[in-house]
Structures are given as structure tokens and as C-alpha cells.
């Protein structure tokens, strides 16, 4: 099975999570019991929640606090503690939580790429019955629902969907007599022109640890990360097309755009921070980056367009991401935890998160409403409709992601330690070892 799905151009905003459907199709995960492994379902006590830390976390905290307040009013003897954890450390934190139920949270936010792996590890509770009986769930985008589904069972509630596009400084491009790039060749030349004219700025800020910012360059060249093979996957990151994309992306790390010494270790959040603080002419950011950029130094001085592809007028395929809210199987407060999951992932909270953070809702009716009132959504919707892609729908992806296989590959090339063929071949071997380990 191939890793990509071409979204019909006519599809509206509600298709924002079409790629998430792939999470389910080939997941080799065992079914788990409806009951938590603790065997308890206490109706009072303290619920521990882990959510992801954003670049600008204040707006998210405000929305979450309001949702928790509403929940607590309906559950007088229940306390809720929220901890915001860095996305980059989630693998280690979740592994520890799965291995030590006593210190584990009850409710978690998790990336849709992690669903199959967490289910295979026995970490997530099966909430099929509760989700099916939840009145708001009927308006969930069917493909968003697939992002929490493994082997026909449901392991959470979709929280938001997201995709990345090209943010650029309108004032800088105007001063230099430049237009928003329409091809990747123009993107690179524009980045270098900005850097040459403004040596204190990155042209296009990029990160060696920014996997989802790099993938569009690979996909736009016709490359793939991996392909289905014999019920599993085989890495294709070392194919000729993929190598061409790797070369294009890594060519952006240099004194003429984004110096390797500063940019090789950057994550996606780091690049957004650089752009929002006025240190870059362009950046690849998500709809979910909008609030942080609005709160930065360049408010009113930027615009967004789809990241250009190789051919004029084309769009580089973007990673179709998003997060979910789930209940850990080890919770001793299952009913309360499911109730809090529904409160956090409910329509009211998702609508408020869009207003506060720019997170696209997973409900078709709510997404249609917010798209009408906020024009900034348009380039992200266009990006999705042009043909977004997903990562391998395998439990191995969590292992590959946590092991930093792709960032290591990029950084080896950027540093000059290895050339693209050698680095991509090594990455492919590591990926295939992971695919083999999960069957």
C-alpha cells in the first residue's frame, strides 16, 4: 500500500484530515479490553492530564482552563491537574507512563501518527462504546474518526487537524521587489536574495530536526518515505526521487540562507519562533502556528500561501497532521476520564481553540463555520485539497520518529558527514529494521 492519498481538488475544508484515514488501514495492532487494566472506575479524585506545549502556550491554556472549569462544575468532587509537555519528548514520557501506571496520566493529547503504536503498546483505552454514544461524535469528519481507529475499535477523540504552508514577510518581499514564490526553484532563489540583502535574517528558516517541514520537498519530487510490502512496509527514502528531495531540502542549510551551525538542530517550533520574532523572511508553518506568529513582532507584516511544488502553480504535498485526545488504559477513573476527553475534544472547545490558536476543528459543521469567518484558513485548505500525504500507517512509525531516523539523516548530510546516498541508505535500513520488528 502506498503512503499517499490524492485528495480531490473539489473537496472542501471538511477534508482536512483525509490522510489520517491511513492510520487504520494497515495497523497491525491487537484489540484491547474495554476495561482499564487497573480494574477500577473511581467516581471522585484527581485526574492527571498531559497536553502538548505550543510555541505560544498562553491561548491554549486559557481555552483548556475554561473547558476544565466546566467539567469540574459538573463533577464537584473531582480535581484536574494539567501538565504541558514538549512534543519532542513525548515518546520517552509515554513509554514511561505505559510502563508505570501509578505515575501515568489519565488523559493525554497525542499525535495522530502515534495511534497505531500506542495501541500496540497497550497504552490507550478502547472507548468505542462511549464515542459511539456521544451525541457530538456524529458530526466528526469520518476521516478524523479514522485517525483514532485501529482494527475497527476507537481509541480516543479527534482534537484538531493541521497542515503546513509558506509564511512570508510581505514588507521584506515588497522592499526587495519580489513576489511570493510559485515554484521550489523560486522559493530557494527568493530565500537567498533575502539573505543577501538582509544578512541578519534567515532567508527561509529551516530545521534539520523539522521532519514535517522537510517531507514536502521529498514528496514534491515524487519520492516516498516507504511503501506497503507484504502486509508491512519497506523504506523507499533512499530511492532516486526521494534523494532528489533530500538534496533540495538540505541545500537550504548554508551561509547563503540558514547557516548549518544554527539551523541543523532546529525543530519546527524553533523555525516558527525565529519567524515570529522577526529573524526570518520566510518559514514553513502550520495553521496551528498562526496564533504564535500573530503574537510575535511581525503582526500585520506577513502573508501565507501554499508551499510551492516543482512546477509553476503546483503545491508541494504537505503532511496531513493533527492531534487526538485519549484515555490511558491504566486509569482508575475511566468514566471521569472519558467525560473529560469529551469536554476537551468537544465542539465548544474546538471552536475556541480555533479562535485562540488557529487549530482546525475536526467537526464538519464547526469547521465550515470557522472557515467562513477567518480567511487565513484558505491557503491551508487549498494545500490539503491539492494532495496531502501521511506517514506509514504502522506501529513502527512511533519507533522511527522517536529514534530520530530522518532528522539524523538530514543532519548527517548537512554536516557533511555523509552524502545523500549514504545517509538515505542508512536511514532506510533503520526504518526497515523497525518495520520488521512490528511485523
Amino acid at each position: 500500500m502506498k503512503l499517499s492519498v490524492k485528495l480531490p481538488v473539489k473537496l472542501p475544508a471538511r477534508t482536512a484530515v483525509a490522510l489520517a484515514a491511513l492510520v487504520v488501514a494497515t495497523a497491525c495492532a491487537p484489540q484491547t479490553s474495554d476495561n482499564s487494566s487497573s480494574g477500577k472506575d473511581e467516581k471522585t479524585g484527581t485526574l492527571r492530564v498531559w497536553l502538548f506545549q505550543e510555541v505560544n502556550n498562553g491561548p491554549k491554556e486559557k481555552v483548556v482552563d475554561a473547558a476544565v472549569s466546566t467539567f469540574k462544575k459538573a463533577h464537584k468532587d473531582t480535581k484536574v491537574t494539567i501538565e504541558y509537555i514538549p512534543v519532542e519528548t513525548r515518546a520517552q514520557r509515554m513509554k514511561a507512563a505505559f510502563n508505570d501506571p501509578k505515575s501515568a496520566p489519565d488523559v493525554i493529547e497525542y499525535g495522530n501518527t502515534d495511534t497505531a503504536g500506542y495501541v500496540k503498546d497497550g497504552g490507550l483505552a478502547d472507548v468505542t462504546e462511549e464515542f459511539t454514544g456521544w451525541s457530538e461524535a456524529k458530526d466528526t469528519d469520518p476521516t478524523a474518526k479514522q485517525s483514532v481507529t485501529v482494527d475497527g475499535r476507537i481509541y480516543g477523540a479527534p482534537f484538531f487537524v493541521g497542515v503546513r504552508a509558506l509564511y512570508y514577510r510581505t514588507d521584506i518581499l515588497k522592499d526587495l521587489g519580489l513576489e511570493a514564490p510559485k515554484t521550489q526553484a523560486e522559493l530557494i532563489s527568493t530565500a537567498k536574495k533575502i539573505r543577501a540583502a538582509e544578512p541578519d535574517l534567515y532567508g527561509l528558516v529551516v530545521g534539520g530536526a523539522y521532519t514535517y517541514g522537510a517531507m514536502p520537498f521529498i514528496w514534491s519530487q515524487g519520492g516516498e518515505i516507504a511503501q506497503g510490502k507484504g502486509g508491512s512496509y519497506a523504506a523507499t527514502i533512499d530511492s532516486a526521487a526521494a534523494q532528489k528531495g533530500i538534496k533540495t531540502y538540505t541545500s537550504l542549510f548554508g551561509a547563503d540562507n540558514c547557516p548549518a551551525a544554527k539551523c541543523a538542530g532546529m525543530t519546527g517550533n524553533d523555525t516558527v519562533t525565529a519567524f515570529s520574532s522577526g529573524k526570518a523572511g520566510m518559514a514553513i508553518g502550520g495553521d496551528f502556528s498562526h496564533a504564535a506568529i500573530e503574537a510575535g513582532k511581525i503582526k500585520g507584516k506577513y502573508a501565507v500561501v501554499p508551499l510551492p511544488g516543482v512546477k509553476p502553480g503546483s503545491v508541494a504535498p504537505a503532511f496531513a497532521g493533527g492531534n487526538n485526545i485519549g484515555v490511558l488504559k491504566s486509569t482508575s477513573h475511566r468514566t471521569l476520564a472519558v467525560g473529560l476527553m469529551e469536554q476537551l475534544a468537544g465542539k465548544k472547545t474546538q471552536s475556541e481553540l480555533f479562535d485562540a490558536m488557529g487549530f482546525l476543528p475536526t467537526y464538519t459543521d464547526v469547521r465550515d463555520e470557522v472557515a467562513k469567518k477567518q480567511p487565513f484558513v484558505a491557503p491551508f485548505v487549498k494545500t490539503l485539497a491539492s494532495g496531502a500525504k501521511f506517514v506509514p500507517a504502522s506501529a513502527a512509525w512511533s519507533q522511527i520518529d522517536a529514534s530520530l531516523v530522518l532528522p539524523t539523516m538530514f543532519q548527517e548530510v548537512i554536516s557533511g558527514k555523509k552524502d545523500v546516498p549514504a545517509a538515505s541508505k542508512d536511514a532506510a535500513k533503520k526504518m526497515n529494521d523497525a518495520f520488521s520488528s512490528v511485523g
Side-chain angles (χ1 to χ4, degrees):
M1 174 181 174
K2 296 189 73 170
L3 296 183
S4 62
V5 167
K6 183 74 175 178
L7 296 179
V9 173
K10 294 182 180 179
L11 290 179
R14 67 173 57 94
T15 60
V17 287
L19 281 305
L22 294 180
V23 173
V24 195
T26 58
C28 303
Q31 293 196 11
T32 60
S33 169
D34 284 342
N35 298 318
S36 66
S37 60
S38 70
K40 299 178 181 179
D41 189 11
E42 299 169 2
K43 301 303 191 292
T44 61
T46 299
L47 292 179
R48 297 182 61 214
V49 181
W50 286 358
L51 301 178
F52 290 147
Q53 177 88 28
E54 308 298 334
V55 175
N56 179 13
N57 210 52
K60 181 177 182 178
E61 290 180 28
K62 187 175 181 180
V63 173
V64 169
D65 288 348
V68 169
S69 179
T70 299
F71 176 80
K72 287 167 66 177
K73 287 178 182 177
H75 302 86
K76 301 293 185 181
D77 297 321
T78 301
K79 295 181 179 180
V80 178
T81 61
I82 308 288
E83 181 180 354
Y84 291 91
I85 66 173
V87 175
E88 291 79 12
T89 65
R90 73 188 188 283
Q92 296 89 339
R93 295 293 297 270
M94 294 303 178
K95 181 178 181 180
F98 296 164
N99 291 334
D100 184 13
K102 290 183 180 180
S103 64
D106 301 276
V107 178
I108 62 169
E109 177 180 357
Y110 66 95
N112 62 10
T113 60
D114 296 325
T115 306
Y118 289 175
V119 171
K120 184 177 185 297
D121 291 342
L124 292 173
D126 182 336
V127 295
T128 306
E129 292 182 13
E130 293 95 333
F131 187 89
T132 303
W134 182 23
S135 61
E136 293 191 357
K138 64 180 175 57
D139 294 318
T140 301
D141 186 302
T143 49
K145 181 180 177 181
Q146 295 288 8
S147 77
V148 293
T149 307
V150 175
D151 289 347
R153 307 300 294 178
I154 298 171
Y155 295 89
F159 192 35
F160 69 85
V161 295
V163 69
R164 292 164 178 82
L166 180 69
Y167 284 78
Y168 68 93
R169 289 282 297 275
T170 51
D171 56 339
I172 293 175
L173 264 63
K174 182 179 179 181
D175 289 345
L176 297 179
L178 302 172
E179 296 183 352
K182 296 179 176 61
T183 65
Q184 272 182 24
E186 287 184 13
L187 175 69
I188 294 171
S189 65
T190 300
K192 292 182 178 181
K193 287 175 183 177
I194 293 172
R195 177 74 173 177
E198 302 283 351
D200 292 335
L201 298 180
Y202 303 120
L204 169 64
V205 61
V206 287
Y210 190 7
T211 301
Y212 298 122
M215 285 179 176
F217 292 85
I218 294 171
W219 288 325
S220 65
Q221 294 288 350
E224 297 288 352
I225 304 166
Q227 291 183 327
K229 180 179 180 181
S232 183
Y233 284 88
T236 54
I237 194 67
D238 57 343
S239 69
Q243 287 186 28
K244 194 170 182 180
I246 296 167
K247 288 178 182 177
T248 301
Y249 185 68
T250 54
S251 73
L252 289 161
F253 294 81
D256 58 355
N257 176 55
C258 202
K262 293 183 177 180
C263 302
M266 282 191 181
T267 64
N269 279 357
D270 293 331
T271 65
V272 170
T273 298
F275 183 75
S276 65
S277 62
K279 296 178 181 178
M282 298 184 290
I284 299 168
D287 52 273
F288 42 86
S289 306
H290 180 258
I293 293 172
E294 276 288 289
K297 295 181 179 180
I298 60 169
K299 180 179 175 66
K301 299 179 182 179
Y302 72 91
V304 186
V305 294
L307 183 68
V310 175
K311 297 180 181 179
S314 66
V315 176
F319 166 69
N323 290 353
N324 304 322
I325 299 290
V327 173
L328 260 65
K329 191 177 179 184
S330 59
T331 182
S332 59
H333 301 86
R334 181 189 172 91
T335 300
L336 287 172
V338 171
L340 182 56
M341 174 192 78
E342 293 176 353
Q343 186 73 52
L344 291 171
K347 289 185 177 182
K348 185 174 185 296
T349 304
Q350 287 199 19
S351 180
E352 291 175 353
L353 273 174
F354 173 82
D355 291 338
M357 303 293 296
F359 292 171
L360 288 176
T362 64
Y363 300 98
T364 55
D365 54 341
V366 179
R367 193 185 307 151
D368 287 345
E369 290 172 7
V370 302
K372 290 176 182 176
K373 67 181 182 180
Q374 291 289 359
F376 84 82
V377 173
F380 300 102
V381 172
K382 182 178 179 180
T383 296
L384 285 154
S386 297
K389 293 176 179 282
F390 203 63
V391 297
S394 167
W397 181 254
S398 293
Q399 179 182 334
I400 292 167
D401 196 27
S403 300
L404 305 177
V405 172
L406 295 183
T408 298
M409 176 188 71
F410 294 127
Q411 290 164 349
E412 286 175 341
V413 175
I414 294 163
S415 67
K417 183 178 179 180
K418 295 178 183 177
D419 60 16
V420 172
S424 61
K425 183 178 180 180
D426 288 348
K429 182 181 185 304
K430 293 174 184 176
M431 290 175 67
N432 285 330
D433 287 345
F435 289 135
S436 298
S437 72
V438 302

